[in-house]
């Protein structure tokens, strides 16, 4: 840190965005799918990180963001639940975060990464559910798993994905 060497963007290394612990924090504006925009461009407000919510609040907030076509932001909500929740639920939240990232990649046009993450998240959620034997926090895991596997197949077949229109129903059909 403190170097005055230029980065590929022409900014000095000392001007790079860092948090109080020195971790990289990119302040560039982002679009609804989390893609970086040019500095100064209007972007979508970021999802705050490190928010501790009750599980039901996490599910509701993630669903709202998914419905708005912001799976990248929903992933942040699931990641917060994964990192702050009880140990026995971490794999559930991690799987849901992977599903949201898979939807993000699919909507960005990355068919290979999108399908892979959708399947990985479905597998993690299914593995967690096999030991749980219940409907966690009202989440329709069988429905979400089926959604992810179906979307993965469509993405691999070349179907374009609109993130908001293809958002999963976390609590089942409304």
């Amino acid at each position: 840190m403190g170097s005055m060497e230029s980065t590929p963007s022409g900014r000095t290394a000392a001007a790079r965005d860092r948090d109080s612990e020195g971790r990289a924090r990119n302040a560039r504006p982002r679009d609804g799918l989390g893609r970086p925009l040019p500095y100064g461009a209007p972007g979508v407000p970021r999802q705050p990180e490190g928010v501790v919510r009750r599980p039901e609040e996490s599910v509701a907030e993630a669903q709202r963001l998914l419905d708005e076509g912001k799976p990248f932001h929903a992933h942040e909500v699931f990641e917060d639940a994964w990192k702050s929740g009880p140990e026995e639920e971490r794999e559930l939240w991690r799987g849901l975060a992977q599903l949201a990232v898979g939807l993000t990649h699919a909507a960005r046009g990355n068919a290979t990464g999108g399908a892979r993450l959708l399947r990985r998240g479905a597998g993690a959620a299914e593995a967690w559910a096999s030991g749980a034997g219940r409907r966690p926090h009202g989440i329709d895991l069988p429905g979400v798993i089926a959604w992810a596997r179906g979307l993965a197949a469509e993405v691999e077949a070349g179907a374009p994905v609109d993130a908001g229109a293809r958002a999963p129903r976390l609590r089942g059909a409304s």
Side-chain angles (χ1 to χ4, degrees), residues 1-88:
M1 287 185 55
S3 167
M4 296 307 288
E5 295 176 30
S6 290
T7 64
S9 66
R11 297 171 61 214
T12 62
R16 291 173 57 197
D17 304 317
R18 300 283 174 179
D19 66 13
S20 61
E21 296 177 14
R23 289 186 302 256
R25 295 287 183 219
N26 193 331
R28 278 178 73 176
R30 305 260 173 178
D31 71 5
L33 293 174
R35 294 176 290 216
L37 298 170
Y39 285 99
V44 172
R46 290 186 176 231
Q47 188 65 27
E49 293 180 44
V51 177
V52 177
R53 300 173 181 87
R54 289 182 331 193
E56 295 77 13
E57 293 170 328
S58 293
V59 173
E61 179 67 2
Q63 186 69 68
R64 181 186 70 76
L65 292 163
L66 288 164
D67 291 345
E68 290 177 3
K70 298 176 185 172
F72 179 81
H73 296 77
H75 144 266
E76 298 288 347
V77 171
F78 289 137
E79 191 171 273
D80 286 341
W82 159 23
K83 291 178 178 179
S84 67
E87 181 68 34
E88 64 271 10

Side-chain angles (χ1 to χ4, degrees), residues 90-159:
R90 291 208 173 137
E91 287 304 303
L92 166 67
W93 297 111
R94 186 175 67 86
L96 293 170
Q98 288 172 330
L99 293 173
V101 172
L103 178 56
T104 300
H105 281 281
R108 289 178 178 177
N110 177 359
T112 301
R116 183 176 295 138
L117 282 161
L118 286 162
R119 285 196 176 97
R120 186 179 303 154
E126 188 170 55
W128 184 87
S130 70
R134 59 181 165 53
R135 189 174 165 132
H137 313 295
I139 301 170
D140 175 15
L141 276 183
V144 171
I145 291 164
W147 163 85
R149 290 194 170 127
L151 184 58
E154 289 178 39
V155 168
E156 285 179 326

